[in-house]
Amino acid sequence: GYFDLSDQSEYCPSERAALADFYNEAKGLEWTESTRKVLDIAAKQLLDSPESPTPYRTIAWLDEYESHCLWKGITCEDGYTVKIELNANGLSGRLSSSIGKLQNLRELDVSDNEIKDTIPSEIGLLEQLEYVKLSFNRFQREMPPEVENLKKLKLFQAHGNKITGTVTLSEGLVPDKFSESSFVTDCGSPSLFGDDPGPVDCASCTMCCNEFEECFPTEKNALLEWKDYEDFGFILLGIVLASMFAVNGVSSLWDHRKKSVRDRSARTLTTEYIRQKSQADAKYAIKSMGEGSVYSFFLTNNILAWFFALATVALQFWLLQPFIIAAEFDLSDDVKDLVYTWKCDRVSDKCEDLGDLTWQGWFLFGLLMTAYMGKDIVCGAKMIILSGKSRHGVSQRIRFFVGGSLLGCVSVYIFYASTIYNISIATTNTELIYNAVIILFIMEMDERVFDTIDAMNQKWVDRVTKRKELDEITMSGRPSIAGKSKARPAKDKLNDDDSENDKVYEEMYELKRKLFEMEKSMNSVKEHCGMSTSTSSSTGTTVDTNLHSSDSLSLSQVTAAEINSSGTTVKEKLGESACSASPLGDAAEQSEVEDCGKTLPQDHGTDQKGPQVTELSQSEVTGSSESPPPKQPVEGILRDTSDTPDDQRNGSQVTFVLDPK
């Protein structure tokens, strides 16, 4: 007979019995290795020669004459089991519920085996557990809720199994040295079970893996902690629009300030100047919006054109939505395009990121997006600035604002969509650039739509956009000067000019003003000399009305005159007395006309050409060197001396001679 001492704790400790159950239920006889070689201290002491080989003895599991602390994979402290390490050792069967009797167990590693069935709920009794690896087995069904009692966990890895349902870990667990590899389950997609029941639900996990053993950290970026990508996209558009309103307000205030400065300096701009500046702004706006883009339709009054433009904007936003939705961070949704770049292998405790994306790739991405989108964003802002100018009508200011706002919003939204989509799917620098280029094609949608409409009905596009008229816009006319114009220091001009274009306008109109004053001075001299004058309808300046063929002309000390029929070019040579009588008082004007023999600046605001007239004084006709007495009219006639046929002339050459009477 024999005695069964398994129930006697003094002869058979409870931990030894629990480990025996563990061995039997995990089919210990089939393990890859179930023995351990240990130093045979007793045999070593019997050896006399130090050169003798060190004796070892082999201890198997369930050895009746050896302590369980010497069994393979078992580590003890003070006779209590604190560690079980049997990973990749061919374990199968099931995990014994007797493991709950190992109250001092701190580490349990049975990963990479073939253990089946469920995880016993008794595992929740091991309150000292800190390190648990159950990964890469064939555990089934749900995780026992008792695992929530393991409040000292630093590592819990249960991925690579067939577990379903919810995994609830203790609240307040903080990843330690294992960081994102601390708490890992099969909470990623696609799941081995498809959509039903789907992946594990684990809110406390730091890493989720899918059926392909690909993993991804569950930690969201700061933006997603607040809102998801789609919601934040709308918030971003609201921020952009608010910024546009702010820019419009600043532009309006700045324009009002400039107007106040002009009023204080007694300088006012004529309606003609404002009209021309508004036309130039309209042409500049179309160039900024894109002459080959449907965004230019926002600058028109045509309802159908606005419909095409708004439809294109809506289409661009609609095409961007799938990218934003696919970039959403939801590891349990198989529809998302998120690429799992991490790997939690069977050997290491830590997961590794296999992605090759570097900061150089993001730098190149930023350069690419700035190169393509920067111009549109800046031009949109400029349209908003133009919408704040009071020289434009209310309807035109609204068109500028709407067009600039939509251009800016679409550009920013494309930049945003491309960035978050690359965060989700790009794994290399080349993929980053490739994905960005694909999304940038959406930005070309407005040009493709415009090209299609233009090809179908070019006349309608020309009429709506006034394409040909805008190409023929030239700066013509001259401003009226209200009040006395005074030379201003350069510093004041710089304060008045908000751009280089304004400087050009100011300088050009200053030259035209000087020309206007000179023409007035010349007319005063003519009146003083007894010449009849009238106002030219084309320029508003005073010219001689007696210069017609066969008409009489009165002169006094005027030796020559060339008068363009448009009145825009006047060249006269005056005698010393006429020059001294000139009323020009402005130093700047006198520097341009130092004597009466110089040609006055021409007004290029007209293309008209007229007859060229040469006036000969009495002394030149008679050959006498004496000048006639002042204010003595001399009569003569104008004769056509040109040999050019009438149908080929652009003006006529006539000569004034004394009347033979």
Side-chain angles (χ1 to χ4, degrees):
Y2 63 91
F3 295 95
D4 184 6
L5 301 178
S6 59
D7 295 333
Q8 305 297 320
S9 59
E10 62 272 19
Y11 299 105
C12 186
S14 59
E15 288 193 354
R16 182 184 179 93
L19 290 173
D21 289 341
F22 174 85
Y23 176 83
N24 292 326
E25 294 194 31
K27 298 184 179 180
L29 296 176
E30 299 177 3
W31 290 4
T32 303
E33 189 175 356
S34 61
T35 61
R36 172 192 284 181
K37 287 184 178 181
V38 297
L39 178 62
D40 192 344
I41 300 177
K44 184 175 177 58
Q45 293 176 350
L46 296 175
L47 295 176
D48 297 333
S49 174
E51 297 179 359
S52 300
T54 302
Y56 286 93
R57 58 193 176 94
T58 300
I59 300 177
W61 268 71
L62 305 184
D63 192 316
E64 297 179 356
Y65 302 103
E66 299 293 343
S67 170
H68 65 277
C69 294
L70 297 178
W71 294 351
K72 179 176 174 57
I74 303 299
T75 302
C76 294
E77 289 183 3
D78 300 327
Y80 295 101
T81 304
V82 295
K83 181 177 182 180
I84 298 177
E85 188 176 8
L86 292 170
N87 59 301
N89 198 42
L91 278 66
S92 59
R94 61 188 299 272
L95 186 61
S96 175
S97 60
S98 299
I99 197 171
K101 298 178 181 180
L102 304 176
Q103 296 295 317
N104 295 288
L105 190 65
R106 295 199 297 266
E107 297 185 27
L108 173 63
D109 184 0
V110 292
S111 61
D112 196 13
N113 286 293
E114 293 292 327
I115 305 177
K116 306 176 182 64
D117 209 352
T118 61
I119 299 174
S121 60
E122 286 77 7
I123 196 173
L125 300 175
L126 305 177
E127 297 180 355
Q128 302 301 319
L129 268 180
E130 299 177 358
Y131 181 99
V132 179
K133 288 193 71 173
L134 306 175
S135 54
F136 301 109
N137 279 283
R138 301 179 66 181
F139 288 114
Q140 301 173 2
R141 295 191 285 275
E142 295 187 359
M143 179 73 67
E146 286 77 9
V147 296
E148 189 175 0
N149 298 329
L150 307 179
K151 302 183 181 301
K152 294 185 178 181
L153 282 179
K154 296 180 180 178
L155 183 139
F156 181 85
Q157 295 183 355
H159 57 288
N161 289 286
K162 297 182 179 180
I163 299 174
T164 60
T166 302
V167 176
T168 305
L169 300 179
S170 178
E171 294 183 2
L173 293 179
V174 179
D176 197 5
K177 62 179 180 178
F178 302 104
S179 58
E180 61 273 332
S181 305
S182 298
F183 314 119
V184 186
T185 61
D186 293 322
C187 49
S189 61
S191 171
L192 183 64
F193 301 100
D195 295 332
D196 187 17
V200 170
D201 181 13
C202 182
S204 303
C205 290
T206 57
M207 184 80 67
C208 286
C209 300
N210 58 23
E211 64 172 319
F212 305 115
E213 299 182 7
E214 300 168 340
C215 305
F216 201 85
T218 60
E219 183 180 6
K220 297 181 179 180
N221 56 47
L223 175 61
L224 289 174
E225 290 290 345
W226 180 45
K227 290 287 185 181
D228 57 28
Y229 285 137
E230 188 175 9
D231 290 342
F232 183 78
F234 294 116
I235 295 175
L236 179 63
L237 290 179
I239 294 174
V240 173
L241 284 176
S243 301
M244 296 294 185
F245 278 106
V247 172
N248 175 267
V250 172
S251 176
S252 299
L253 292 175
W254 182 255
D255 186 71
H256 178 73
R257 177 184 177 277
K258 286 180 59 181
K259 185 178 180 181
S260 300
V261 172
R262 284 196 299 265
D263 292 343
R264 288 197 298 269
S265 61
R267 293 176 60 252
T268 59
L269 300 179
T270 64
T271 303
E272 179 66 15
Y273 169 84
I274 296 175
R275 183 187 65 81
Q276 293 174 2
K277 193 71 185 294
S278 181
Q279 287 180 334
D281 287 345
K283 187 175 181 180
Y284 171 77
I286 290 181
K287 287 185 176 181
S288 298
M289 299 287 283
E291 292 178 306
S293 168
V294 293
Y295 282 97
S296 61
F297 290 168
F298 285 120
L299 305 179
T300 70
N301 292 320
N302 190 281
I303 297 178
L304 183 59
W306 269 68
F307 171 78
F308 285 132
L310 290 173
T312 303
V313 172
L315 179 61
Q316 286 180 308
F317 278 109
W318 182 71
L319 289 175
L320 288 172
Q321 282 303 108
F323 292 96
I324 294 178
I325 294 174
E328 291 288 3
F329 190 84
D330 188 353
L331 298 175
S332 62
D333 190 352
D334 191 25
V335 177
K336 308 305 181 186
D337 290 347
L338 179 67
V339 176
Y340 290 62
T341 59
W342 289 68
K343 186 75 172 180
C344 299
D345 59 31
R346 300 169 182 265
V347 179
S348 175
D349 293 337
K350 285 194 173 184
C351 303
E352 181 183 6
D353 186 4
L354 303 180
D356 295 327
L357 196 59
T358 63
W359 69 268
Q360 290 93 338
W362 283 109
F363 179 74
L364 293 176
F365 168 79
L367 289 180
L368 178 66
M369 297 301 295
T370 301
Y372 275 88
M373 310 303 302
K375 174 181 176 295
D376 292 326
I377 295 175
V378 172
C379 289
K382 287 185 176 181
M383 292 301 96
I384 301 301
I385 293 175
L386 287 178
S387 69
K389 303 296 183 181
S390 60
R391 59 174 169 263
H392 304 300
V394 175
S395 62
Q396 189 173 22
R397 293 173 69 178
I398 293 175
R399 292 194 294 271
F400 282 159
F401 183 83
V402 172
S405 297
L406 290 178
L407 179 61
C409 286
V410 170
S411 301
V412 171
Y413 206 61
I414 289 178
F415 201 116
Y416 169 72
S418 183
T419 301
I420 63 174
Y421 191 69
N422 272 303
I423 290 175
S424 297
I425 74 168
T427 59
T428 64
N429 293 338
T430 53
E431 284 185 7
L432 188 67
I433 305 302
Y434 179 77
N435 297 332
V437 171
I438 292 177
I439 297 180
L440 283 175
F441 274 113
I442 297 177
M443 193 60 189
E444 303 297 323
M445 183 66 64
D446 57 304
E447 296 180 5
R448 302 289 79 81
V449 173
F450 182 90
D451 292 340
T452 302
I453 298 174
D454 195 27
M456 294 175 62
N457 195 338
Q458 184 176 2
K459 291 183 179 180
W460 180 82
V461 174
D462 290 340
R463 178 171 57 84
V464 169
T465 61
K466 301 179 181 179
R467 184 161 48 189
K468 293 184 178 180
E469 295 180 20
L470 289 173
D471 289 340
E472 297 174 357
I473 290 180
T474 56
M475 298 307 301
S476 59
R478 87 180 143 262
S480 298
I481 307 299
K484 185 176 180 180
S485 176
K486 297 183 180 180
R488 293 176 299 156
K491 181 177 180 181
D492 293 340
K493 288 185 178 182
L494 290 175
N495 290 334
D496 285 344
D497 296 334
D498 60 350
S499 66
E500 189 64 26
N501 290 337
D502 286 341
K503 294 180 182 179
V504 174
Y505 285 127
E506 291 284 348
E507 292 173 1
M508 183 174 62
Y509 284 115
E510 186 69 16
L511 290 175
K512 290 186 178 182
R513 184 189 64 80
K514 291 179 180 179
L515 175 60
F516 177 69
E517 292 293 341
M518 287 187 229
E519 289 177 344
K520 289 173 59 179
S521 300
M522 300 307 300
N523 292 332
S524 298
V525 172
K526 288 182 181 180
E527 292 176 358
H528 179 73
C529 294
M531 297 176 61
S532 59
T533 59
S534 67
T535 301
S536 172
S537 60
S538 60
T539 63
T541 60
T542 304
V543 297
D544 194 345
T545 61
N546 294 324
L547 296 180
H548 300 286
S549 178
S550 302
D551 289 347
S552 61
L553 177 69
S554 297
L555 336 157
S556 177
Q557 297 184 358
V558 178
T559 60
E562 285 183 13
I563 304 180
N564 187 292
S565 64
S566 66
T568 59
T569 303
V570 179
K571 178 179 180 181
E572 299 196 29
K573 295 182 180 179
L574 303 177
E576 180 179 356
S577 61
C579 293
S580 61
S582 173
L584 295 176
D586 196 310
E589 297 170 354
Q590 292 179 5
S591 65
E592 280 209 30
V593 187
E594 295 179 354
D595 56 68
C596 296
K598 292 189 177 180
T599 302
L600 301 182
Q602 296 185 7
D603 186 347
H604 298 286
T606 178
D607 295 331
Q608 299 180 21
K609 295 183 179 180
Q612 190 174 22
V613 180
T614 303
E615 300 175 2
L616 302 180
S617 67
Q618 183 179 8
S619 61
E620 290 177 321
V621 174
T622 61
S624 174
S625 60
E626 290 186 3
S627 301
K631 297 186 179 181
Q632 295 298 323
V634 179
E635 296 183 353
I637 61 176
L638 293 173
R639 293 180 179 175
D640 190 346
T641 59
S642 173
D643 295 331
T644 306
D646 293 340
D647 58 350
Q648 299 181 5
R649 295 185 186 180
N650 186 12
S652 60
Q653 180 74 30
V654 294
T655 302
F656 172 78
V657 297
L658 291 175
D659 191 343
K661 297 187 295 184

